[in-house]
């Protein structure tokens, strides 16, 4: 069974769009109306939208040592919590003419110093579709964690990243206690919990 939406992009009328700000991100302002489920059209409404780049995330997993490599990095959006340095998976923006698999390999090396041996796709999702065009592709990446760990990142991108090697059960527990508290990492760790057996069978 598959859900087929009744409405499509043809059922939206954009009255006006303006670029409010264009820096690291682009912020747009729309005046639009859209067709209603019960029939007819909505009034003209105003909505702001962040134009964000598509990104790729990789949960680095060593199926032999049962270890997961996570990174720790300062994140501006978490200023209100006790420490704005959070644990998360490796991730990066897709550059032009670059496949999502290429991004997964590149970012794993740049942010964690890890060579990815194999990749398994997890899922793709919109990060916050009510306010952003951001789209995330997630992978599980096989690595040898025996020599992982250390400080990484690209200086010209002002990255200061510490890679940690954790026992798998520590990461599962950190998810349970809320220490892991960002969406991409939560989704990826939960995926591994559900698929761990088949991942290990594939990567024997």
């Amino acid at each position: 069974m598959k859900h087929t939406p009744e409405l499509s992009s043809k059922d939206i009328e954009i009255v006006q769009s303006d670029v409010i700000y264009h820096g690291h991100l682009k912020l747009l302002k729309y005046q639009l109306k859209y067709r209603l489920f019960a029939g007819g059209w909505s009034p003209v409404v105003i909505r702001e939208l962040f134009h964000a780049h598509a990104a790729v995330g990789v949960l680095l997993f060593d199926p032999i040592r049962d270890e997961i490599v996570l990174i720790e990095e300062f994140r501006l959006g978490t200023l209100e919590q006790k420490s704005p340095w959070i644990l998360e998976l490796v991730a990066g923006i897709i550059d032009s003419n670059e496949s999502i698999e290429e991004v997964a390999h590149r970012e794993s090396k740049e942010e964690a110093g890890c060579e990815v041996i194999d990749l398994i796709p997890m899922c793709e999702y919109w990060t916050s579709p009510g306010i952003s065009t951001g789209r995330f592709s997630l992978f599980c990446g096989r690595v040898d964690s025996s020599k992982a760990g250390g400080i990484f990142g690209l200086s010209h991108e002002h990255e200061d990243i510490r890679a940690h090697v954790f026992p798998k059960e520590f990461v599962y527990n950190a998810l349970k206690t809320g220490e892991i508290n960002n969406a991409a990492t939560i989704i990826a760790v939960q995926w591994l919990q559900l698929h761990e057996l088949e991942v290990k069978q594939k990567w024997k």
Side-chain angles (χ1 to χ4, degrees), residues 133-159:
T133 61
R135 188 171 175 83
F136 226 105
S137 300
L138 285 180
F139 290 93
C140 186
R142 181 179 182 178
V143 295
D144 176 0
S145 63
S146 62
K147 296 180 181 179
I151 298 174
F152 301 93
L154 300 179
S155 58
H156 68 273
E157 293 185 5
H158 307 290
E159 292 180 329

Side-chain angles (χ1 to χ4, degrees), residues 1-20:
M1 183 177 179
K2 183 178 180 180
H3 170 68
T4 302
E6 176 186 350
L7 304 174
S8 72
S9 56
K10 295 178 181 179
D11 298 301
I12 301 168
E13 181 182 329
I14 297 175
V15 178
Q16 184 175 333
S17 64
D18 301 286
V19 177
I20 300 174

Side-chain angles (χ1 to χ4, degrees), residues 62-111:
D62 186 331
I64 306 301
R65 298 170 64 88
D66 254 357
E67 292 178 333
I68 293 173
V69 181
L70 295 178
I71 61 172
E72 184 179 7
E73 188 174 7
F74 166 69
R75 291 304 193 192
L76 181 61
T78 65
L79 276 176
E80 293 184 1
Q81 71 176 26
K82 186 176 180 180
S83 173
W85 280 260
I86 64 172
L87 290 176
E88 55 188 5
L89 44 66
V90 162
I93 291 170
I94 302 172
D95 291 333
S96 58
N97 301 318
E98 192 177 26
S99 72
I100 56 176
E101 291 81 8
E102 287 172 334
V103 178
H105 283 275
R106 173 174 57 78
E107 291 293 336
S108 298
K109 187 67 176 175
E110 290 178 2
E111 295 193 343

Side-chain angles (χ1 to χ4, degrees), residues 57 59 75 78 86-89 91 122-123 125-129 136 138 175 178-191:
L59 185 66
R75 291 304 193 192
T78 65
I86 64 172
L87 290 176
E88 55 188 5
L89 44 66
M122 291 183 180
C123 65
Y125 67 95
W126 298 102
T127 54
S128 187
F136 226 105
L138 285 180
L175 178 67
E179 184 179 358
I180 291 175
N181 57 7
N182 60 92
T185 312
I186 290 172
I187 292 168
V189 174
Q190 287 179 332
W191 182 95

